[in-house]
Amino acid sequence: MKSSEEELFNYIKQKLPKNVSFIDKIAEVLDLSYDAAYRRVNRKTALNLAETLKLANHYNIDLNTLLLSTNNSKRIIVEKTHHLIEDDYLQTFLDKSSNEIEKLRGIGRSIINKLS
């Protein structure tokens, strides 16, 4: 399975014209030397969060989609849609969400039992 960095770099490569040096572009966007960009592209040095965000913003990449595509079986991305009203609001939300997920799992089990 590809890492998130590999997916990010592959996506950027697809966006670049064929006549543009990929490593030169990474160096330019991140304001790094060619050697430093080369080490990141070849995974000898990991991208830090600031660099990842800079690349994502520059190339208009949704990191949520990237994270889901690299390991979708173990991650759920949650986006906050409004300000929290009460201190325990998040806990209440997570409890309700957990209950709904359990209901869906129960429905799935009952369908499987009926088909068996």
Side-chain angles (χ1 to χ4, degrees), residues 42-55:
N42 289 291
R43 295 187 318 270
K44 295 183 186 325
T45 302
L47 287 172
N48 63 39
L49 180 58
E51 292 168 339
T52 303
L53 292 173
K54 193 181 271 191
L55 288 170

Side-chain angles (χ1 to χ4, degrees), residues 50-88:
E51 292 168 339
T52 303
L53 292 173
K54 193 181 271 191
L55 288 170
N57 286 333
H58 183 83
Y59 289 102
N60 225 10
I61 298 169
D62 178 14
L63 291 178
N64 286 334
T65 303
L66 181 69
L67 288 172
L68 286 173
S69 71
T70 56
N71 193 2
N72 61 6
S73 65
K74 296 182 182 176
R75 292 190 178 138
I76 297 175
I77 305 295
V78 178
E79 184 176 329
K80 182 179 139 188
T81 56
H82 57 81
H83 295 288
L84 299 178
I85 300 166
E86 301 169 17
D87 290 340
D88 65 341

Side-chain angles (χ1 to χ4, degrees), residues 21-38:
S21 167
F22 174 62
I23 295 174
D24 281 337
K25 268 319 242 186
I26 298 298
E28 178 185 321
V29 172
L30 297 179
D31 194 28
L32 298 171
S33 69
Y34 182 91
D35 288 340
Y38 179 86

